[in-house]
Amino acid sequence: MNSPFLVTPQWLEQHINDSDLVLVDVRMSPAGLTPKKDMRAEFERGHLPGAVYFDIDDVADKSSALPHMLPDAEAFSRAAGELGISENSTLVFYDEGNQFSAPRGWWTFRNFGAKRVYVLDEGMSGWTARGNALESGPVARQPAVFNASFNPAAVVAMAQVEQALGSDNQILDARAAARFYGDAPEPRPGLHCGHIPGSINIPYGDLLDNGRFKSLAALRETFSAKGVDINGPIIVSCGSGVTAAVLAFGLQSLGAPQVRLYDGSWSEWGLLDGKQPIATR
């Protein structure tokens, strides 16, 4: 059995013309790549038919120096509405097919009040592998009204993570093991290497098998093997709050009741001029 938040390319073939369906492309430039990929140009070169592009980097808190921090509800409502998305739309998010950023789109829209939100399993590569065509060029939908209602219980700030240290909160880190243990440099400049003390490393790719999310039973085993109690309080983190949403997706697919995402993640905790405790082993 698979996540209730996933749809397959086969499902999409049957529903792509549904009147309430909005396909949302949330592909992102890889962390640390300089210069950054022009993802809107990538979108216009090829995207799923009728999809709109939601820019996670741009629809963000512009007052923060940290990357793609959540915007306020007003800014989010405006951006979603301009794309023709309402909170009652059926939304399907996709990326290249590596599930790097699609779950962040899913997590963001759910926590601003969207009611039917899904991720496309295998993403764009799964769609084209079945012989389905892409479209090119810009896409303009009729504007809509998105009535945002943010869920503050879904996200934590640094102060809450500090309070969670040494408590029964489980802090999970979705970065690759080499970054978690400080054996590889961070892709963003100005950061220490290592991890939040007491956190548990579950690289987001551990939840996937060739770009597809594992079955619910396999997801449960993945978390269990790392000693995670999915019924206990959990904070998910990563480099900048994007792949942390992959862990949130897996956990909430299993019905985990207390999952919060640290939006600043290592981009904030690991700052060279910060005073946060850091571990490497």
Side-chain angles (χ1 to χ4, degrees):
M1 184 175 176
N2 292 322
S3 167
F5 307 121
L6 278 176
V7 298
T8 63
Q10 294 94 317
W11 180 94
L12 186 57
E13 289 168 355
Q14 298 168 11
H15 293 273
I16 196 165
N17 294 316
D18 289 1
S19 60
D20 65 336
L21 179 72
V22 184
L23 286 170
V24 189
D25 187 317
V26 284
R27 285 177 285 170
M28 296 180 71
S29 182
L33 183 65
T34 304
K36 293 176 67 171
K37 269 190 181 181
D38 183 341
M39 298 312 298
R40 193 168 296 278
E42 292 282 323
F43 171 80
E44 293 190 7
R45 266 194 285 275
H47 54 261
L48 269 62
V52 295
Y53 183 68
F54 182 83
D55 191 336
I56 290 172
D57 281 326
D58 185 58
V59 185
D61 180 1
K62 299 299 176 58
S63 69
S64 174
L66 298 171
H68 39 254
M69 296 288 284
L70 288 172
D72 61 28
E74 181 181 356
F76 181 85
S77 293
R78 183 168 58 251
E82 288 172 353
L83 292 176
I85 300 172
S86 88
E87 72 276 13
N88 296 311
S89 303
T90 298
L91 304 175
V92 176
F93 289 86
Y94 73 87
D95 54 28
E96 286 92 344
N98 56 3
Q99 302 301 355
F100 172 74
S101 52
R104 173 71 186 204
W106 169 88
W107 178 86
T108 300
F109 273 74
R110 272 171 55 91
N111 289 305
F112 275 109
K115 297 176 176 61
R116 294 187 296 277
V117 192
Y118 303 93
V119 166
L120 177 62
D121 210 11
E122 301 180 87
M124 195 162 74
S125 62
W127 175 257
T128 57
R130 289 179 55 80
N132 295 306
L134 300 176
E135 286 184 349
S136 60
V139 174
R141 289 175 51 86
Q142 188 72 22
V145 174
F146 192 106
N147 296 297
S149 177
F150 182 62
N151 174 21
V155 64
V156 294
M158 180 189 286
Q160 292 165 293
V161 179
E162 290 172 336
Q163 293 167 5
L165 297 179
S167 72
D168 61 349
N169 279 271
Q170 304 159 94
I171 302 173
L172 312 185
D173 190 322
R175 292 176 299 155
R179 289 172 61 192
F180 179 83
Y181 290 112
D183 296 329
E186 285 296 305
R188 295 178 180 86
L191 297 176
H192 288 287
C193 296
H195 58 265
I196 299 171
S199 56
I200 302 169
N201 185 216
I202 305 182
Y204 82 93
D206 287 2
L207 277 58
L208 307 172
D209 186 6
N210 293 322
R212 300 190 64 183
F213 273 97
K214 294 178 177 178
S215 68
L216 293 181
L219 287 176
R220 190 179 300 277
E221 174 56 32
T222 296
F223 287 111
S224 176
K226 293 295 183 80
V228 177
D229 174 10
I230 66 168
N231 293 311
I234 298 171
I235 294 171
V236 292
S237 68
C238 59
S240 65
V242 174
T243 59
V246 182
L247 300 187
F249 183 94
L251 289 161
Q252 291 179 322
S253 296
L254 294 169
Q258 303 178 70
V259 181
R260 298 180 294 167
L261 187 147
Y262 176 24
D263 205 19
S265 282
W266 196 253
S267 292
E268 181 178 42
W269 191 277
L271 283 170
L272 289 176
D273 57 359
K275 295 180 171 54
Q276 312 316 311
I278 290 171
T280 55
R281 281 291 180 269

